[in-house]
Amino acid sequence: MTNQFPARIKKSAENHHSRIVLALDIKGKEPKPLLEKTLHILKQTGVNLAAVKLNYHLLLPLDLFNSVATIINEAHNQGLQAIADLKINDISSTNTVTASYLWDAGFDSLIANPFVGLEEGLGPVITAAHEENRGIILLVYMSHKGAEDGYGLKVQSNTHTAGRFMEMHELFLDRALSWGCDGIVVGATRPETMKKVSSKVQGKLLVFSPGVGAQGGSPRPTIQSGADFLIVGRSILDATSPAQAAEDIRRATWRPF
Amino acid sequence: MTNQFPARIKKSAENHHSRIVLALDIKGKEPKPLLEKTLHILKQTGVNLAAVKLNYHLLLPLDLFNSVATIINEAHNQGLQAIADLKINDISSTNTVTASYLWDAGFDSLIANPFVGLEEGLGPVITAAHEENRGIILLVYMSHKGAEDGYGLKVQSNTHTAGRFMEMHELFLDRALSWGCDGIVVGATRPETMKKVSSKVQGKLLVFSPGVGAQGGSPRPTIQSGADFLIVGRSILDATSPAQAAEDIRRATWRPF
Protein backbone atom coordinates (compact mmCIF):
# COMPACT_ATOMS: atom_id res chain seq x y z
CA MET A 1 0.00 0.00 0.00
CA THR A 2 1.22 3.49 -0.74
CA ASN A 3 1.64 5.57 2.34
CA GLN A 4 -0.42 8.75 2.02
CA PHE A 5 0.89 10.65 5.04
CA PRO A 6 2.91 13.15 2.96
CA ALA A 7 -0.10 13.81 0.72
CA ARG A 8 -2.40 14.16 3.73
CA ILE A 9 -0.25 16.72 5.54
CA LYS A 10 0.27 18.74 2.33
CA LYS A 11 -3.49 18.81 1.86
CA SER A 12 -3.97 20.01 5.46
CA ALA A 13 -1.39 22.72 4.81
CA GLU A 14 -3.06 23.85 1.57
CA ASN A 15 -6.50 23.92 3.18
CA HIS A 16 -5.36 26.17 6.03
CA HIS A 17 -2.63 28.01 4.12
CA SER A 18 -0.31 26.98 6.91
CA ARG A 19 3.18 25.52 7.30
CA ILE A 20 2.82 25.18 11.09
CA VAL A 21 3.01 22.00 13.15
CA LEU A 22 1.97 22.96 16.68
CA ALA A 23 4.01 21.18 19.37
CA LEU A 24 1.45 20.58 22.12
CA ASP A 25 4.06 20.76 24.91
CA ILE A 26 1.57 21.62 27.61
CA LYS A 27 2.41 20.91 31.24
CA GLY A 28 0.08 19.60 33.90
CA LYS A 29 -0.10 16.65 36.23
CA GLU A 30 -3.87 16.51 36.60
CA PRO A 31 -5.17 14.65 33.54
CA LYS A 32 -8.58 16.36 33.31
CA PRO A 33 -7.49 20.04 33.24
CA LEU A 34 -4.52 19.05 31.03
CA LEU A 35 -6.88 17.51 28.48
CA GLU A 36 -9.22 20.52 28.64
CA LYS A 37 -6.39 23.02 28.23
CA THR A 38 -5.03 21.09 25.24
CA LEU A 39 -8.43 20.92 23.53
CA HIS A 40 -8.96 24.63 24.21
CA ILE A 41 -5.61 25.56 22.57
CA LEU A 42 -6.40 23.27 19.64
CA LYS A 43 -9.81 24.87 19.06
CA GLN A 44 -8.30 28.37 19.21
CA THR A 45 -5.40 27.66 16.86
CA GLY A 46 -6.50 24.77 14.61
CA VAL A 47 -7.53 26.90 11.63
CA ASN A 48 -3.98 28.28 11.44
CA LEU A 49 -2.22 24.89 11.55
CA ALA A 50 -1.32 21.98 9.29
CA ALA A 51 -0.66 19.44 12.04
CA VAL A 52 -0.08 18.88 15.74
CA LYS A 53 2.80 17.09 17.42
CA LEU A 54 2.44 15.35 20.79
CA ASN A 55 5.33 14.20 22.99
CA TYR A 56 5.82 13.06 26.61
CA HIS A 57 4.18 16.25 27.92
CA LEU A 58 0.83 14.66 27.02
CA LEU A 59 1.66 11.01 26.30
CA LEU A 60 2.88 10.24 29.83
CA PRO A 61 0.17 11.78 32.02
CA LEU A 62 -2.79 11.21 29.68
CA ASP A 63 -4.49 7.92 28.93
CA LEU A 64 -3.56 6.95 25.35
CA PHE A 65 -6.79 5.32 24.18
CA ASN A 66 -9.11 7.89 25.78
CA SER A 67 -7.66 11.36 26.34
CA VAL A 68 -4.92 11.25 23.71
CA ALA A 69 -7.30 9.66 21.21
CA THR A 70 -9.77 12.49 21.94
CA ILE A 71 -7.09 15.12 21.16
CA ILE A 72 -6.17 13.34 17.91
CA ASN A 73 -9.83 13.07 16.99
CA GLU A 74 -10.30 16.82 17.52
CA ALA A 75 -7.20 17.46 15.37
CA HIS A 76 -8.61 15.26 12.60
CA ASN A 77 -11.98 17.00 12.86
CA GLN A 78 -10.17 20.26 12.20
CA GLY A 79 -8.44 18.75 9.17
CA LEU A 80 -5.05 18.43 10.89
CA GLN A 81 -2.54 15.57 10.93
CA ALA A 82 -1.20 14.19 14.24
CA ILE A 83 2.46 13.31 14.79
CA ALA A 84 3.79 11.29 17.77
CA ASP A 85 7.20 12.56 18.87
CA LEU A 86 8.79 9.98 21.16
CA LYS A 87 12.05 9.89 19.17
CA ILE A 88 11.89 6.11 19.36
CA ASN A 89 15.24 4.30 19.33
CA ASP A 90 14.60 0.83 20.68
CA ILE A 91 14.81 -2.77 19.45
CA SER A 92 12.27 -3.74 16.80
CA SER A 93 10.06 -5.86 19.06
CA THR A 94 9.51 -2.82 21.29
CA ASN A 95 9.31 -0.34 18.40
CA THR A 96 6.58 -2.29 16.63
CA VAL A 97 4.46 -2.58 19.79
CA THR A 98 4.97 1.14 20.46
CA ALA A 99 3.94 2.04 16.93
CA SER A 100 0.88 -0.21 16.95
CA TYR A 101 -0.32 1.53 20.13
CA LEU A 102 0.25 4.93 18.51
CA TRP A 103 -1.60 3.95 15.32
CA ASP A 104 -4.50 2.57 17.37
CA ALA A 105 -4.78 5.91 19.17
CA GLY A 106 -5.04 7.58 15.75
CA PHE A 107 -1.59 9.07 15.10
CA ASP A 108 -0.70 9.61 11.42
CA SER A 109 3.07 9.55 11.78
CA LEU A 110 5.87 9.07 14.31
CA ILE A 111 9.37 10.46 14.82
CA ALA A 112 12.29 8.03 15.24
CA ASN A 113 16.04 8.28 15.76
CA PRO A 114 17.98 6.58 12.90
CA PHE A 115 20.92 6.09 15.29
CA VAL A 116 19.33 2.80 16.41
CA GLY A 117 19.93 1.24 12.98
CA LEU A 118 17.78 -0.73 10.57
CA GLU A 119 18.17 -4.43 11.30
CA GLU A 120 16.19 -5.46 14.42
CA GLY A 121 15.86 -1.68 14.95
CA LEU A 122 13.70 0.58 12.75
CA GLY A 123 13.34 -1.71 9.73
CA PRO A 124 10.22 -3.61 10.83
CA VAL A 125 8.48 -0.49 12.14
CA ILE A 126 8.97 1.40 8.84
CA THR A 127 7.45 -1.51 6.90
CA ALA A 128 4.55 -1.87 9.34
CA ALA A 129 3.87 1.88 9.36
CA HIS A 130 3.56 2.02 5.59
CA GLU A 131 1.25 -1.00 5.58
CA GLU A 132 -0.98 0.96 7.95
CA ASN A 133 -0.75 4.09 5.77
CA ARG A 134 1.22 6.00 8.42
CA GLY A 135 4.41 8.02 8.06
CA ILE A 136 7.90 7.78 9.56
CA ILE A 137 9.94 10.93 10.20
CA LEU A 138 13.63 10.58 11.09
CA LEU A 139 15.78 12.95 13.12
CA VAL A 140 18.58 14.36 10.97
CA TYR A 141 19.83 17.31 13.08
CA MET A 142 18.14 18.55 16.24
CA SER A 143 17.94 22.21 17.23
CA HIS A 144 19.57 22.38 20.68
CA LYS A 145 23.24 23.20 21.40
CA GLY A 146 24.28 19.73 22.57
CA ALA A 147 23.02 18.26 19.28
CA GLU A 148 26.52 18.89 17.97
CA ASP A 149 27.75 16.13 20.34
CA GLY A 150 25.74 13.63 18.30
CA TYR A 151 24.36 14.88 14.99
CA GLY A 152 27.51 16.95 14.38
CA LEU A 153 30.07 14.17 14.98
CA LYS A 154 32.38 13.12 12.18
CA VAL A 155 31.76 9.43 11.49
CA GLN A 156 32.99 6.64 9.27
CA SER A 157 30.23 4.36 8.09
CA ASN A 158 31.11 0.96 6.70
CA THR A 159 27.67 0.32 5.30
CA HIS A 160 26.88 3.62 3.61
CA THR A 161 30.06 5.34 2.56
CA ALA A 162 32.75 2.71 2.00
CA GLY A 163 35.04 4.16 4.62
CA ARG A 164 34.58 7.86 3.80
CA PHE A 165 34.19 10.22 6.73
CA MET A 166 31.08 12.34 6.87
CA GLU A 167 29.03 14.16 9.45
CA MET A 168 26.45 12.11 11.31
CA HIS A 169 23.56 14.19 9.96
CA GLU A 170 24.66 13.43 6.37
CA LEU A 171 24.62 9.73 7.21
CA PHE A 172 21.16 10.11 8.77
CA LEU A 173 19.89 11.89 5.65
CA ASP A 174 21.19 9.02 3.52
CA ARG A 175 19.32 6.63 5.81
CA ALA A 176 16.06 8.57 5.57
CA LEU A 177 16.30 8.39 1.77
CA SER A 178 17.46 4.77 1.45
CA TRP A 179 15.11 3.46 4.13
CA GLY A 180 12.12 4.98 2.31
CA CYS A 181 10.99 7.31 5.07
CA ASP A 182 8.53 10.18 4.66
CA GLY A 183 10.09 13.12 6.44
CA ILE A 184 13.07 14.39 8.42
CA VAL A 185 13.69 16.80 11.28
CA VAL A 186 16.32 19.54 10.85
CA GLY A 187 16.63 22.28 13.48
CA ALA A 188 15.91 25.89 12.48
CA THR A 189 19.02 26.85 14.45
CA ARG A 190 21.17 25.31 11.67
CA PRO A 191 20.39 27.33 8.51
CA GLU A 192 23.43 26.12 6.54
CA THR A 193 22.53 22.48 7.12
CA MET A 194 18.93 23.28 6.24
CA LYS A 195 19.92 24.72 2.86
CA LYS A 196 22.11 21.75 1.97
CA VAL A 197 19.57 19.20 3.11
CA SER A 198 16.54 20.78 1.49
CA SER A 199 18.20 21.06 -1.92
CA LYS A 200 19.06 17.35 -1.71
CA VAL A 201 15.69 15.99 -0.66
CA GLN A 202 13.23 18.19 -2.52
CA GLY A 203 10.14 16.19 -3.30
CA LYS A 204 11.48 13.02 -1.68
CA LEU A 205 11.18 13.85 2.01
CA LEU A 206 9.25 16.49 3.92
CA VAL A 207 11.48 18.68 6.09
CA PHE A 208 10.17 19.53 9.58
CA SER A 209 12.02 22.24 11.48
CA PRO A 210 11.84 22.84 15.24
CA GLY A 211 13.73 25.51 17.16
CA VAL A 212 12.10 28.73 15.99
CA GLY A 213 11.19 31.27 18.66
CA ALA A 214 12.29 30.17 22.16
CA GLN A 215 15.35 28.36 20.79
CA GLY A 216 16.45 31.19 18.52
CA GLY A 217 15.50 30.17 14.96
CA SER A 218 13.48 32.57 12.78
CA PRO A 219 10.26 31.35 11.14
CA ARG A 220 10.38 33.09 7.76
CA PRO A 221 14.08 32.46 6.89
CA THR A 222 13.67 28.83 7.93
CA ILE A 223 10.91 28.31 5.38
CA GLN A 224 12.91 30.30 2.80
CA SER A 225 15.90 27.99 3.43
CA GLY A 226 13.76 25.04 2.40
CA ALA A 227 11.90 23.72 5.44
CA ASP A 228 8.46 22.39 4.52
CA PHE A 229 7.03 22.73 8.02
CA LEU A 230 7.87 24.71 11.14
CA ILE A 231 7.44 22.93 14.45
CA VAL A 232 6.34 25.69 16.82
CA GLY A 233 5.61 25.28 20.52
CA ARG A 234 6.32 27.98 23.08
CA SER A 235 5.94 30.95 20.65
CA ILE A 236 2.28 30.01 20.30
CA LEU A 237 1.50 28.29 23.62
CA ASP A 238 3.02 31.05 25.80
CA ALA A 239 1.58 33.97 23.78
CA THR A 240 -1.06 36.24 25.31
CA SER A 241 -3.24 35.16 22.40
CA PRO A 242 -2.20 31.75 21.00
CA ALA A 243 -4.71 32.21 18.15
CA GLN A 244 -3.14 35.54 17.14
CA ALA A 245 0.40 34.19 17.46
CA ALA A 246 -0.47 31.20 15.27
CA GLU A 247 -2.11 33.46 12.68
CA ASP A 248 0.89 35.81 12.63
CA ILE A 249 3.38 32.99 12.08
CA ARG A 250 1.07 31.37 9.51
CA ARG A 251 0.78 34.58 7.46
CA ALA A 252 4.52 35.29 7.66
CA THR A 253 5.50 31.83 6.48
CA TRP A 254 2.78 30.52 4.17
CA ARG A 255 3.77 29.59 0.64
CA PRO A 256 2.06 27.02 -1.59
CA PHE A 257 3.74 23.67 -2.29
CA MET B 1 22.35 15.38 47.81
CA THR B 2 24.04 12.06 47.16
CA ASN B 3 22.08 9.88 44.82
CA GLN B 4 21.42 6.51 46.48
CA PHE B 5 20.04 4.62 43.48
CA PRO B 6 23.19 2.46 43.04
CA ALA B 7 23.18 1.59 46.75
CA ARG B 8 19.44 0.86 46.69
CA ILE B 9 19.60 -1.55 43.75
CA LYS B 10 22.63 -3.34 45.22
CA LYS B 11 20.73 -3.79 48.46
CA SER B 12 17.73 -5.20 46.57
CA ALA B 13 20.11 -7.59 44.80
CA GLU B 14 21.75 -8.73 48.04
CA ASN B 15 18.39 -9.23 49.75
CA HIS B 16 17.08 -11.49 47.00
CA HIS B 17 20.43 -12.93 45.93
CA SER B 18 19.54 -11.82 42.44
CA ARG B 19 21.21 -10.03 39.54
CA ILE B 20 17.99 -9.93 37.51
CA VAL B 21 16.13 -6.85 36.23
CA LEU B 22 12.83 -8.10 34.84
CA ALA B 23 11.77 -6.26 31.66
CA LEU B 24 7.99 -6.07 32.01
CA ASP B 25 7.41 -6.12 28.23
CA ILE B 26 3.86 -7.37 28.48
CA LYS B 27 1.44 -6.77 25.61
CA GLY B 28 -2.20 -5.82 25.88
CA LYS B 29 -4.44 -3.03 24.72
CA GLU B 30 -7.04 -3.31 27.46
CA PRO B 31 -5.64 -1.44 30.47
CA LYS B 32 -7.35 -3.48 33.19
CA PRO B 33 -6.24 -7.02 32.19
CA LEU B 34 -2.80 -5.62 31.27
CA LEU B 35 -2.39 -4.21 34.78
CA GLU B 36 -3.65 -7.44 36.36
CA LYS B 37 -1.34 -9.61 34.27
CA THR B 38 1.64 -7.40 35.15
CA LEU B 39 0.90 -7.51 38.89
CA HIS B 40 0.43 -11.28 38.69
CA ILE B 41 3.85 -11.78 37.02
CA LEU B 42 5.43 -9.42 39.55
CA LYS B 43 3.98 -11.34 42.51
CA GLN B 44 5.15 -14.66 41.06
CA THR B 45 8.69 -13.55 40.26
CA GLY B 46 9.49 -10.68 42.67
CA VAL B 47 11.42 -12.73 45.21
CA ASN B 48 13.87 -13.74 42.46
CA LEU B 49 14.51 -10.18 41.18
CA ALA B 50 16.52 -7.08 42.03
CA ALA B 51 14.51 -4.63 39.93
CA VAL B 52 11.89 -4.21 37.22
CA LYS B 53 12.15 -2.22 34.01
CA LEU B 54 9.09 -0.70 32.32
CA ASN B 55 9.01 0.63 28.76
CA TYR B 56 6.36 1.63 26.20
CA HIS B 57 4.65 -1.77 26.52
CA LEU B 58 3.14 -0.49 29.78
CA LEU B 59 3.83 3.26 29.75
CA LEU B 60 1.74 3.96 26.66
CA PRO B 61 -1.49 2.04 27.36
CA LEU B 62 -1.51 2.43 31.17
CA ASP B 63 -2.29 5.56 33.12
CA LEU B 64 0.99 6.81 34.65
CA PHE B 65 -0.22 8.14 37.98
CA ASN B 66 -2.63 5.28 38.69
CA SER B 67 -1.84 1.94 37.02
CA VAL B 68 1.90 2.46 36.49
CA ALA B 69 2.24 3.92 40.01
CA THR B 70 0.45 0.81 41.34
CA ILE B 71 2.97 -1.47 39.59
CA ILE B 72 5.91 0.54 40.96
CA ASN B 73 4.37 0.48 44.42
CA GLU B 74 4.05 -3.30 44.25
CA ALA B 75 7.70 -3.53 43.13
CA HIS B 76 8.78 -1.33 46.05
CA ASN B 77 6.71 -3.43 48.46
CA GLN B 78 8.67 -6.44 47.27
CA GLY B 79 11.95 -4.61 47.85
CA LEU B 80 12.64 -4.02 44.15
CA GLN B 81 13.83 -0.93 42.30
CA ALA B 82 11.90 0.41 39.27
CA ILE B 83 13.60 1.63 36.09
CA ALA B 84 11.86 3.63 33.31
CA ASP B 85 13.21 2.67 29.90
CA LEU B 86 12.13 5.28 27.37
CA LYS B 87 15.68 5.81 26.04
CA ILE B 88 15.03 9.55 26.23
CA ASN B 89 16.91 11.69 23.70
CA ASP B 90 15.10 15.00 23.55
CA ILE B 91 15.83 18.67 24.33
CA SER B 92 16.26 19.49 28.01
CA SER B 93 12.91 21.25 28.47
CA THR B 94 11.14 18.06 27.37
CA ASN B 95 13.55 15.72 29.20
CA THR B 96 13.07 17.47 32.53
CA VAL B 97 9.26 17.38 32.25
CA THR B 98 9.44 13.69 31.24
CA ALA B 99 11.68 12.88 34.20
CA SER B 100 9.56 14.80 36.70
CA TYR B 101 6.50 12.78 35.59
CA LEU B 102 8.48 9.55 35.97
CA TRP B 103 9.75 10.48 39.45
CA ASP B 104 6.24 11.46 40.52
CA ALA B 105 5.00 8.02 39.46
CA GLY B 106 7.70 6.52 41.70
CA PHE B 107 10.46 5.41 39.31
CA ASP B 108 13.95 5.16 40.84
CA SER B 109 15.95 5.59 37.65
CA LEU B 110 15.63 6.23 33.92
CA ILE B 111 17.50 5.19 30.79
CA ALA B 112 18.70 7.89 28.36
CA ASN B 113 20.61 7.99 25.07
CA PRO B 114 23.84 10.05 25.40
CA PHE B 115 23.73 10.71 21.64
CA VAL B 116 21.53 13.76 22.37
CA GLY B 117 24.44 15.54 24.08
CA LEU B 118 24.82 17.38 27.37
CA GLU B 119 24.09 21.07 26.79
CA GLU B 120 20.34 21.73 26.48
CA GLY B 121 20.12 17.92 26.24
CA LEU B 122 20.75 15.56 29.17
CA GLY B 123 22.67 17.96 31.44
CA PRO B 124 19.70 19.47 33.29
CA VAL B 125 17.94 16.11 33.69
CA ILE B 126 21.01 14.46 35.25
CA THR B 127 21.31 17.29 37.79
CA ALA B 128 17.60 17.24 38.59
CA ALA B 129 17.55 13.43 38.92
CA HIS B 130 20.34 13.45 41.48
CA GLU B 131 18.63 16.20 43.46
CA GLU B 132 15.61 13.91 43.65
CA ASN B 133 17.78 10.93 44.64
CA ARG B 134 17.10 9.09 41.36
CA GLY B 135 19.54 7.45 38.97
CA ILE B 136 20.47 7.98 35.33
CA ILE B 137 21.53 5.01 33.17
CA LEU B 138 23.05 5.72 29.73
CA LEU B 139 23.00 3.47 26.66
CA VAL B 140 26.55 2.46 25.71
CA TYR B 141 25.96 -0.44 23.28
CA MET B 142 22.57 -2.00 22.61
CA SER B 143 22.05 -5.70 21.97
CA HIS B 144 20.37 -5.88 18.55
CA LYS B 145 22.10 -6.35 15.19
CA GLY B 146 21.47 -2.85 13.83
CA ALA B 147 23.13 -1.35 16.93
CA GLU B 148 26.36 -1.54 14.93
CA ASP B 149 24.96 1.20 12.65
CA GLY B 150 25.08 3.58 15.61
CA TYR B 151 26.97 2.37 18.67
CA GLY B 152 29.57 0.66 16.47
CA LEU B 153 30.37 3.65 14.23
CA LYS B 154 33.88 5.08 14.18
CA VAL B 155 33.67 8.72 15.26
CA GLN B 156 35.85 11.73 15.80
CA SER B 157 34.84 13.78 18.79
CA ASN B 158 36.15 17.30 19.13
CA THR B 159 35.08 17.66 22.73
CA HIS B 160 36.29 14.39 24.20
CA THR B 161 39.24 13.08 22.25
CA ALA B 162 41.05 15.99 20.61
CA GLY B 163 40.53 14.62 17.14
CA ARG B 164 41.27 10.96 17.84
CA PHE B 165 38.97 8.42 16.25
CA MET B 166 37.21 5.98 18.50
CA GLU B 167 34.10 3.83 18.44
CA MET B 168 30.86 5.50 19.44
CA HIS B 169 30.37 3.21 22.44
CA GLU B 170 33.78 4.28 23.83
CA LEU B 171 32.71 7.89 23.52
CA PHE B 172 29.41 7.08 25.27
CA LEU B 173 31.27 5.33 28.08
CA ASP B 174 33.44 8.45 28.54
CA ARG B 175 30.26 10.49 28.71
CA ALA B 176 28.65 8.23 31.33
CA LEU B 177 31.77 8.65 33.49
CA SER B 178 32.36 12.38 32.96
CA TRP B 179 28.67 13.30 33.23
CA GLY B 180 28.43 11.57 36.61
CA CYS B 181 25.82 8.98 35.67
CA ASP B 182 24.95 5.91 37.72
CA GLY B 183 24.81 3.05 35.24
CA ILE B 184 25.20 1.99 31.63
CA VAL B 185 23.58 -0.48 29.24
CA VAL B 186 25.82 -2.90 27.31
CA GLY B 187 24.21 -5.73 25.31
CA ALA B 188 24.94 -9.33 26.30
CA THR B 189 25.39 -10.06 22.59
CA ARG B 190 28.73 -8.17 22.70
CA PRO B 191 30.95 -10.09 25.16
CA GLU B 192 34.22 -8.48 24.05
CA THR B 193 32.83 -4.98 24.58
CA MET B 194 31.41 -6.09 27.91
CA LYS B 195 34.82 -7.25 29.15
CA LYS B 196 36.56 -4.02 28.12
CA VAL B 197 33.83 -1.81 29.54
CA SER B 198 33.43 -3.60 32.85
CA SER B 199 37.15 -3.54 33.61
CA LYS B 200 37.13 0.21 32.99
CA VAL B 201 34.10 1.16 35.08
CA GLN B 202 34.31 -1.19 38.04
CA GLY B 203 32.82 0.51 41.07
CA LYS B 204 32.02 3.72 39.17
CA LEU B 205 29.02 2.67 37.07
CA LEU B 206 26.62 -0.26 37.30
CA VAL B 207 26.50 -2.31 34.09
CA PHE B 208 23.04 -3.46 32.93
CA SER B 209 22.97 -6.07 30.18
CA PRO B 210 19.98 -6.87 27.97
CA GLY B 211 19.90 -9.41 25.16
CA VAL B 212 20.16 -12.73 27.00
CA GLY B 213 17.75 -15.48 25.94
CA ALA B 214 15.58 -14.44 22.97
CA GLN B 215 18.33 -12.24 21.50
CA GLY B 216 21.10 -14.83 21.88
CA GLY B 217 23.21 -13.75 24.88
CA SER B 218 23.93 -16.24 27.70
CA PRO B 219 23.13 -15.29 31.29
CA ARG B 220 26.05 -16.82 33.20
CA PRO B 221 28.90 -15.77 30.86
CA THR B 222 27.45 -12.25 30.72
CA ILE B 223 27.73 -11.89 34.50
CA GLN B 224 31.17 -13.53 34.40
CA SER B 225 32.27 -10.96 31.79
CA GLY B 226 31.47 -8.20 34.25
CA ALA B 227 27.81 -7.24 33.92
CA ASP B 228 26.30 -6.23 37.24
CA PHE B 229 22.70 -6.89 36.20
CA LEU B 230 20.97 -8.93 33.51
CA ILE B 231 17.92 -7.38 31.91
CA VAL B 232 15.67 -10.36 31.17
CA GLY B 233 12.27 -10.22 29.49
CA ARG B 234 10.99 -12.95 27.21
CA SER B 235 12.97 -15.82 28.85
CA ILE B 236 10.92 -15.25 31.99
CA LEU B 237 7.65 -13.80 30.65
CA ASP B 238 7.15 -16.47 27.98
CA ALA B 239 8.17 -19.42 30.19
CA THR B 240 5.59 -22.04 31.21
CA SER B 241 6.43 -21.03 34.77
CA PRO B 242 7.82 -17.48 35.00
CA ALA B 243 8.58 -18.05 38.69
CA GLN B 244 10.67 -21.15 37.93
CA ALA B 245 12.43 -19.45 35.01
CA ALA B 246 13.31 -16.45 37.19
CA GLU B 247 14.57 -18.73 39.96
CA ASP B 248 16.70 -20.77 37.53
CA ILE B 249 18.36 -17.67 36.06
CA ARG B 250 18.80 -16.17 39.51
CA ARG B 251 20.57 -19.29 40.85
CA ALA B 252 22.76 -19.62 37.76
CA THR B 253 23.93 -16.02 37.89
CA TRP B 254 23.97 -14.87 41.51
CA ARG B 255 27.26 -13.67 42.96
CA PRO B 256 27.69 -11.19 45.82
CA PHE B 257 28.91 -7.65 45.09
Side-chain angles (χ1 to χ4, degrees):
Chain A
M1 187 193 278
T2 313
N3 162 40
Q4 299 292 332
F5 167 71
R8 291 200 302 273
I9 195 169
K10 278 187 192 171
K11 185 157 175 273
S12 299
E14 297 281 3
N15 286 345
H16 289 176
H17 283 200
S18 174
R19 297 289 193 137
I20 304 174
V21 177
L22 177 60
L24 289 167
D25 298 347
I26 299 170
K27 290 177 205 173
K29 284 172 185 176
E30 290 301 322
K32 202 163 165 252
L34 181 59
L35 172 62
E36 283 165 6
K37 190 174 174 188
T38 304
L39 291 173
H40 182 66
I41 290 271
L42 195 46
K43 280 171 187 159
Q44 286 179 290
T45 58
V47 72
N48 287 299
L49 308 177
V52 290
K53 180 177 85 71
L54 282 71
N55 73 9
Y56 293 109
H57 281 82
L58 299 181
L59 282 160
L60 277 180
L62 295 184
D63 173 278
L64 183 67
F65 298 121
N66 287 296
S67 301
V68 173
T70 299
I71 294 166
I72 296 170
N73 198 40
E74 174 62 26
H76 286 164
N77 285 342
Q78 296 204 30
L80 310 174
Q81 291 286 289
I83 300 166
D85 181 14
L86 299 175
K87 298 180 171 63
I88 63 167
N89 67 118
D90 217 312
I91 58 173
S92 56
S93 58
T94 295
N95 291 336
T96 48
V97 168
T98 304
S100 79
Y101 286 160
L102 296 173
W103 307 150
D104 282 353
F107 280 107
D108 298 286
S109 182
L110 65 76
I111 297 177
N113 191 335
F115 182 76
V116 75
L118 194 65
E119 199 175 350
E120 297 175 6
L122 292 181
V125 83
I126 295 169
T127 306
H130 289 168
E131 281 169 3
E132 299 257 356
N133 199 9
R134 319 290 171 121
I136 299 285
I137 299 165
L138 295 190
L139 298 170
V140 162
Y141 210 138
M142 284 175 68
S143 52
H144 64 294
K145 272 205 156 180
E148 289 162 19
D149 297 342
Y151 301 89
L153 285 173
K154 279 208 173 64
V155 298
Q156 182 181 38
S157 162
N158 295 323
T159 44
H160 284 260
T161 63
R164 188 173 75 81
F165 283 94
M166 64 202 312
E167 289 199 23
M168 184 67 85
H169 60 94
E170 299 176 273
L171 178 62
F172 283 1
L173 178 58
D174 284 355
R175 289 183 185 179
L177 289 164
S178 67
W179 296 356
C181 295
D182 307 287
I184 55 172
V185 172
V186 178
T189 50
R190 313 194 182 275
E192 288 311 309
T193 303
M194 178 66 79
K195 273 179 208 161
K196 274 189 228 162
V197 165
S198 61
S199 71
K200 201 168 169 184
V201 305
Q202 223 156 25
K204 289 176 232 151
L205 293 165
L206 293 170
V207 181
F208 295 83
S209 193
V212 297
Q215 287 183 67
S218 301
R220 200 185 168 96
T222 301
I223 288 289
Q224 285 167 339
S225 306
D228 292 298
F229 292 97
L230 298 174
I231 298 174
V232 186
R234 288 169 273 185
S235 303
I236 292 174
L237 300 176
D238 297 348
T240 317
S241 165
Q244 189 62 52
E247 190 180 336
D248 291 346
I249 299 171
R250 183 189 69 70
R251 282 180 186 275
T253 55
W254 169 245
R255 54 167 197 185
F257 281 93
Chain B
M1 187 192 279
T2 313
N3 160 42
Q4 299 293 331
F5 167 70
R8 290 201 303 273
I9 194 168
K10 278 186 192 172
K11 188 160 172 270
S12 299
E14 297 281 3
N15 286 345
H16 290 176
H17 283 199
S18 174
R19 296 289 194 139
I20 304 173
V21 177
L22 178 61
L24 289 167
D25 298 347
I26 299 170
K27 289 177 206 172
K29 282 173 187 176
E30 291 300 323
K32 203 163 163 254
L34 181 58
L35 172 62
E36 283 165 6
K37 191 174 172 189
T38 304
L39 291 173
H40 181 66
I41 290 271
L42 195 45
K43 281 171 187 158
Q44 287 178 290
T45 57
V47 71
N48 287 299
L49 309 177
V52 290
K53 180 176 83 71
L54 282 71
N55 73 9
Y56 292 109
H57 281 82
L58 299 181
L59 282 160
L60 277 181
L62 296 184
D63 173 278
L64 184 66
F65 298 121
N66 287 297
S67 301
V68 173
T70 300
I71 294 166
I72 296 170
N73 199 40
E74 174 62 27
H76 285 163
N77 285 342
Q78 296 204 30
L80 309 174
Q81 291 287 288
I83 301 166
D85 182 14
L86 299 175
K87 298 180 173 62
I88 62 167
N89 66 118
D90 217 311
I91 58 173
S92 56
S93 57
T94 294
N95 292 335
T96 48
V97 167
T98 304
S100 79
Y101 286 160
L102 296 173
W103 308 150
D104 283 355
F107 280 107
D108 298 285
S109 183
L110 65 75
I111 297 177
N113 191 335
F115 182 75
V116 74
L118 193 66
E119 199 174 352
E120 297 175 5
L122 292 181
V125 83
I126 295 170
T127 306
H130 289 167
E131 281 169 4
E132 300 257 357
N133 200 7
R134 320 291 171 122
I136 299 285
I137 298 166
L138 295 189
L139 297 169
V140 163
Y141 210 138
M142 283 174 69
S143 52
H144 64 294
K145 272 206 157 179
E148 289 162 21
D149 297 342
Y151 301 90
L153 285 172
K154 279 207 176 61
V155 299
Q156 182 181 39
S157 161
N158 295 323
T159 44
H160 285 261
T161 63
R164 188 172 76 81
F165 283 94
M166 64 202 312
E167 289 198 24
M168 185 68 84
H169 60 93
E170 299 176 273
L171 179 61
F172 283 1
L173 178 57
D174 284 355
R175 290 183 185 179
L177 288 164
S178 66
W179 295 357
C181 295
D182 306 287
I184 55 172
V185 172
V186 178
T189 49
R190 311 192 185 277
E192 287 312 309
T193 303
M194 178 66 78
K195 273 180 208 162
K196 274 190 228 163
V197 166
S198 63
S199 70
K200 202 168 167 183
V201 305
Q202 223 156 23
K204 289 176 232 151
L205 294 165
L206 292 171
V207 182
F208 295 83
S209 192
V212 297
Q215 287 183 66
S218 302
R220 201 185 167 97
T222 302
I223 289 289
Q224 284 166 341
S225 306
D228 291 298
F229 292 97
L230 298 174
I231 298 174
V232 186
R234 288 169 273 185
S235 305
I236 291 174
L237 300 175
D238 297 347
T240 316
S241 164
Q244 189 62 51
E247 190 179 336
D248 291 346
I249 299 171
R250 182 189 68 72
R251 283 180 186 275
T253 55
W254 168 246
R255 55 166 194 182
F257 280 91

